[in-house]
Amino acid sequence: MSDSVAKPEVEGLRKSRKNNPEKTRENILQAAITEFVQQGLAGARVDAIAERTATSKRMIYYYFGSKEQLYVECLVKLYGDIRKTEHSLDLESLPAEQAILRLVEFTFDHHDRNVDFVRIVCTENIHYGEYVKQSPAIRQMSSLVLQALGRTLARGVQEGVFRPGIEVIDLHMLMSSFCFYRVSNRHTFGDIFQIDLADEQVKDRHKQMICEAVMRYIKA
């Protein structure tokens, strides 16, 4: 690429950052997620993130303060994405059984399509959840999905379709653990047992399986 072409592109990026700081922040977050997923927290380099966004380390530190705080913000974004979409499912408008099935199917699909979320959560567990603990926002967002799930369970009990006494956190763990594991362990599990967890027929079978398992667990 010639200097005459590159210079307007760089100037355009600078102008865009100046005129749209939120977009700049979002671009940095997206690049940082990629870097943290590929390199982990310890191996991630702010220089590499700056290069991915055609910005500078100084700009990244201006927005986020430190590499560790940038990592926390990446966690907030990834957890926020799943919680916002869960909220948009509008479970309250559905009969209780349909609402639970919609939530299970969404959980399965979200994990399957968002490998970065799964990988960065694995990274965070290596760090014993040290950085999740620094974000009250993650706990607050996650409590909302438990509240919605609890209301749906209560409606199901009132409708006579769900049994009483189910712990909401246990049901949430049942749903998310299977969906998470088949992505987080797809390479080791797939190689050891010679199964392609990315195969569409396998995915359809597993989605049906977790839906059936959840419904059998909660049905009256």
Side-chain angles (χ1 to χ4, degrees):
M1 182 182 294
S2 68
D3 290 343
S4 61
V5 174
K7 187 174 180 180
E9 289 182 356
V10 172
E11 292 300 323
L13 285 168
R14 288 172 178 167
K15 185 176 181 181
S16 174
R17 288 197 292 267
K18 183 177 180 180
N19 293 339
N20 195 342
E22 282 303 312
K23 187 173 187 302
T24 300
R25 191 176 187 278
E26 179 69 17
N27 289 342
I28 293 171
L29 279 173
Q30 291 290 356
I33 288 169
T34 300
E35 179 72 5
F36 288 129
V37 165
Q38 292 179 356
Q39 307 297 334
L41 175 58
R45 295 170 54 248
V46 176
D47 282 329
I49 297 169
E51 186 176 346
R52 290 177 188 273
T53 54
T55 184
S56 65
K57 289 174 65 175
R58 182 177 179 182
M59 177 74 73
I60 291 172
Y61 288 132
Y62 171 79
Y63 277 100
F64 298 99
S66 67
K67 183 176 81 167
E68 288 72 22
Q69 187 56 40
L70 174 56
Y71 173 73
V72 172
E73 291 299 320
C74 288
L75 289 170
V76 172
K77 173 176 171 50
L78 288 169
Y79 274 101
D81 287 346
I82 187 172
R83 300 310 174 213
K84 287 174 187 174
T85 311
E86 283 170 341
H87 182 70
S88 72
L89 297 176
D90 194 20
L91 302 181
E92 307 285 350
S93 68
L94 297 172
E97 288 184 273
Q98 290 183 28
I100 293 293
L101 285 173
R102 175 177 286 186
L103 183 58
V104 176
E105 290 174 349
F106 162 76
T107 303
F108 186 97
D109 290 338
H110 183 90
H111 284 78
D112 184 69
R113 295 168 183 166
N114 292 272
V115 177
D116 284 354
F117 171 74
V118 173
R119 288 178 176 170
I120 207 165
V121 171
C122 289
T123 296
E124 179 59 9
N125 275 280
I126 291 173
H127 292 277
Y128 302 100
E130 175 184 351
Y131 296 93
V132 162
K133 293 172 186 174
Q134 297 178 23
S135 175
I138 293 175
R139 289 193 296 275
Q140 182 178 8
M141 289 185 295
S142 299
S143 70
L144 295 177
V145 70
L146 290 185
Q147 292 171 20
L149 183 55
R151 290 193 297 270
T152 304
L153 281 175
R155 284 196 292 117
V157 172
Q158 292 175 353
E159 294 169 12
V161 295
F162 297 159
R163 63 182 178 86
I166 297 168
E167 290 289 341
V168 178
I169 189 65
D170 294 345
L171 179 58
H172 177 68
M173 188 173 186
L174 172 62
M175 289 189 293
S176 62
S177 60
F178 177 79
C179 300
F180 189 96
Y181 180 91
R182 68 181 309 281
V183 178
S184 66
N185 289 48
R186 64 171 47 170
H187 299 293
T188 51
F189 191 91
D191 184 72
I192 292 168
F193 297 105
Q194 290 297 289
I195 181 173
D196 181 6
L197 294 175
D199 180 82
E200 291 299 326
Q201 290 185 340
V202 174
K203 284 196 289 187
D204 289 344
R205 185 174 78 240
H206 284 174
K207 185 190 289 190
Q208 182 179 352
M209 184 180 79
I210 187 60
C211 285
E212 184 176 343
V214 167
M215 296 309 294
R216 288 194 178 195
Y217 175 66
I218 65 178
K219 280 248 188 165

